[in-house]
Amino acid sequence: MATHIPIVNYLDLDDPAHLVATTCDECGAKFFGERLACARCGGRGFHHERSARTGTVGSFSIIHRAPAGVEAPYVSAIVDLDDGAVVKANIVGCPADPESVRLGMTVELTTYEVGTDDDGTAAVAFGFVPSKGAS
Amino acid sequence: MSSNIDDHDIWIIGVSMTRFGRYPDKDAFLLGAEAALDALDDADLTIHDIDILAAGSVNQIRAYPAQRIQKHIGQTGIPAVNVINACATGATAVRTVHQAIKAGEASIGLAVGTEQMGKQGMLGAGRFGAGGERRFVPEGPQGAVMQTEGILGTGLMPGTFAQAGMRYAAQHDGVGPEQFIKIAVKNHENSVRNPLAQYQKAFTAEQIRDAEMIAYPNTTLMCCPTGDGASGAVLVSGERLRSLPVETQRRAVKISASVLTSDPWAPDGLVQPDINTLTRNAARQAYEVAGVGPADLDLVELHDCFATAELIHYDNLELCEPGGAGDFIDRGAPKRDGETPVNVSGGLLSKGHPLGATGVANIFEVSTHLRGEAGDRQVEGATVGLTHVIGLGSACSIHILEKGNL
């Protein structure tokens, strides 16, 4: 019985945890989550590939006003992954203030538990932490 | 005099807007009907002259505002269309009437945008953490086992538009919180001259910076409010305008371009709606169709739902040099006495943003200036103006309007 479940199906928790891109066979556009046809070129064929675990902060915001049940403040970011894919995620492992998060900062994928259900299964989310010696 | 009117041009001959604000004693249909009658009065016409009605609303769309408005202003049996297209809803309603006239199905039409939002708080912010039994079962195409808002970044408006502005800051020098704050100072200052604005109060840069942080770098005074309101516009074919009174012709405003775009594919579109490319595409099309350039514009009403959004649209609409949006605000170019006045109405930040009404209201604003009827906030001698709205998803509409000189 599974004791861990990824929060979304494009997160693979194994060896080590990584995101799985859905890549267009024709033009190479990368998506997270399935598509019927490529939003870029209309191609119908895709393959899955392991996405980069490292990237840079392409943009961010520090969210202070959030819906009930969401802890705030937190850092939301657009991360430009080193393989050209783009993903939205929280920046974790550093204070949620503009002094700790910088545009262009290098970051690395991390995973952490975000809750446990009645069967004891833990949901695992992904986020990005500043790389060691991040520049 | 009427020989200047090309049969195929389409004109605005009546505009209106309610003051934006909170109307708990009314509903969107009554507000829309008030705006409709005011626009008809402004055009010196009655509902019996109207061949088509298009009504835009976001929150009230499933109650069919066009037909509800007809019950307040006259049920003449004409085609009535309900329009929803995110924050471009009102502009899309105007464009629906424009298309009907262009197609020859109508010679005079009425577009209304209306909305009642009340104090509903942050848009799209659903409730989380319901009690009861909990089992993680993957749901939907992405196999999510729980709500991901706030865990995998944000998809709500304040954060999305903050990230759009910070993306621009990452790619261009001289852009940061200071520039975004200057935009909010400008728009709040402009609102003091606009009796139809929801808020008419100037703030200092310090007051804006120190206000409650909503989504860095936007504080609450850098986010548009929710509110209620309506706006209307009467459009007419050139052929029909020739038969209308000289006074109507004298005040007529020409629609030189009416453009609608959606997001083309862009890498950022994978994670959040790209509000830039479709605005750039719409601007390029609009300038080409109208035969005018950004330097010809005497005023611009653009979609400043957040201060961060206004800055990037300076560049998207080619009001500044490529990459120069920071310098554009730093040198005061978009101020009411600057090179290209932007949001002299106070903008969405202070005029308000009742979603469906917004895209008609900025046509009201520019038309009023082109007619020389904008009172204290008049941009002197204005002859060409541009309106821009964008709704996340995305939908972008641009209209270029010109003084008729008839």
Side-chain angles (χ1 to χ4, degrees), chain A residues 7 9 30-32 39-40 58-62 64-65 67-68 74 76 80 86-88 90 98 117-119 121, chain B residues 126-127 133-136 141-145 150-151 153-154 162-163 166-167 212-216 265 270-271:
Chain A
I7 185 167
N9 58 17
K30 293 172 190 290
F31 303 90
F32 291 114
R40 185 186 196 186
S59 183
F60 73 93
S61 176
I62 300 164
H64 288 254
R65 182 90 69 91
Y74 69 92
S76 169
D80 298 320
V86 185
V87 69
K88 190 171 62 181
N90 286 7
D117 74 6
D118 295 346
D119 295 335
T121 302
Chain B
R127 297 248 159 221
E133 240 188 331
R134 196 154 106 128
R135 275 197 178 78
F136 293 139
Q142 302 208 332
V145 300
I151 299 173
T154 185
Q163 286 171 173
M166 292 297 280
R167 190 71 152 163
E212 182 193 349
M213 184 60 75
I214 302 295
Y216 176 88
W265 185 88
L270 295 172
V271 287

Side-chain angles (χ1 to χ4, degrees), chain B residues 18-180:
Chain B
T18 67
R19 183 182 171 186
F20 287 173
R22 303 198 192 280
Y23 296 97
D25 55 335
K26 297 183 181 181
D27 62 22
F29 317 110
L30 187 56
L31 289 166
E34 287 176 9
L37 291 179
D38 286 348
L40 288 171
D41 289 350
D42 187 44
D44 196 22
L45 297 174
T46 75
I47 189 65
H48 300 285
D49 298 303
I50 300 298
D51 301 324
I52 183 170
L53 168 66
S57 181
V58 176
N59 288 287
Q60 281 78 39
I61 196 66
R62 295 220 25 218
Y64 309 111
Q67 287 80 357
R68 299 280 291 264
I69 287 169
Q70 284 183 299
K71 292 177 177 64
H72 281 295
I73 66 172
Q75 293 175 253
T76 54
I78 56 172
V81 184
N82 295 287
V83 178
I84 180 170
N85 207 10
C87 295
T89 290
T92 306
V94 171
R95 212 169 170 280
T96 301
V97 170
H98 186 271
Q99 287 177 302
I101 295 173
K102 202 170 173 183
E105 282 198 2
S107 61
I108 304 184
L110 172 61
V112 179
T114 188
E115 198 78 36
Q116 190 165 46
M117 301 168 80
K119 291 190 172 187
Q120 69 182 63
M122 202 162 60
L123 296 194
R127 297 248 159 221
F128 296 82
E133 240 188 331
R134 196 154 106 128
R135 275 197 178 78
F136 293 139
V137 179
E139 283 180 5
Q142 302 208 332
V145 300
M146 60 172 64
Q147 292 269 14
T148 59
E149 173 65 27
I151 299 173
L152 303 182
T154 185
L156 301 182
M157 306 289 164
T160 298
F161 282 96
Q163 286 171 173
M166 292 297 280
R167 190 71 152 163
Y168 190 89
Q171 292 163 344
H172 303 96
D173 291 336
V175 176
E178 190 189 338
Q179 281 65 42
F180 300 130

Side-chain angles (χ1 to χ4, degrees), chain B residues 99-366:
Chain B
Q99 287 177 302
I101 295 173
K102 202 170 173 183
E105 282 198 2
S107 61
I108 304 184
L110 172 61
V112 179
T114 188
E115 198 78 36
Q116 190 165 46
M117 301 168 80
K119 291 190 172 187
Q120 69 182 63
M122 202 162 60
L123 296 194
R127 297 248 159 221
F128 296 82
E133 240 188 331
R134 196 154 106 128
R135 275 197 178 78
F136 293 139
V137 179
E139 283 180 5
Q142 302 208 332
V145 300
M146 60 172 64
Q147 292 269 14
T148 59
E149 173 65 27
I151 299 173
L152 303 182
T154 185
L156 301 182
M157 306 289 164
T160 298
F161 282 96
Q163 286 171 173
M166 292 297 280
R167 190 71 152 163
Y168 190 89
Q171 292 163 344
H172 303 96
D173 291 336
V175 176
E178 190 189 338
Q179 281 65 42
F180 300 130
I181 289 168
K182 283 180 186 172
I183 286 167
V185 170
K186 170 182 73 72
N187 291 357
H188 287 300
E189 192 175 288
N190 286 342
S191 74
V192 174
R193 294 167 182 259
N194 186 358
L196 298 173
Q198 183 167 352
Y199 296 103
Q200 299 162 27
K201 192 176 175 191
F203 296 93
T204 65
E206 292 69 31
Q207 285 173 313
I208 290 167
R209 184 196 62 206
D210 296 340
E212 182 193 349
M213 184 60 75
I214 302 295
Y216 176 88
N218 289 325
T219 66
T220 188
L221 292 173
M222 298 160 77
C223 303
C224 68
T226 58
D228 314 333
S231 183
V234 177
L235 277 63
V236 63
S237 67
E239 188 181 7
R240 183 67 190 276
L241 179 59
R242 275 212 292 269
S243 68
L244 293 176
V246 169
E247 180 59 11
T248 302
Q249 294 179 17
R250 192 188 63 76
R251 296 174 70 236
V253 168
K254 190 168 88 171
I255 301 179
S256 299
S258 172
V259 173
L260 178 67
T261 57
S262 62
D263 279 334
W265 185 88
D268 280 10
L270 295 172
V271 287
Q272 66 172 37
D274 168 27
I275 65 179
N276 298 309
T277 316
L278 82 168
T279 297
R280 289 178 173 278
N281 288 351
R284 203 173 301 123
Q285 284 178 42
Y287 292 136
E288 189 181 328
V289 170
V292 306
D296 300 320
L297 301 174
D298 298 309
L299 76 158
V300 171
E301 288 286 309
L302 64 73
H303 204 74
D304 61 322
C305 46
F306 298 88
T308 43
E310 174 159 327
L311 183 127
I312 60 183
H313 294 314
Y314 296 152
D315 202 329
N316 291 332
L317 298 174
E318 303 174 32
L319 305 183
C320 62
E321 294 295 307
D327 175 61
F328 190 71
I329 181 68
D330 282 345
R331 69 173 192 260
K335 294 175 80 163
R336 53 172 289 107
D337 57 355
E339 297 156 42
T340 309
V342 175
N343 289 333
V344 293
S345 66
L348 279 54
L349 289 184
S350 31
K351 184 177 70 176
H353 182 24
L355 309 178
T358 295
V360 187
N362 63 14
I363 287 173
F364 163 87
E365 182 68 18
V366 170

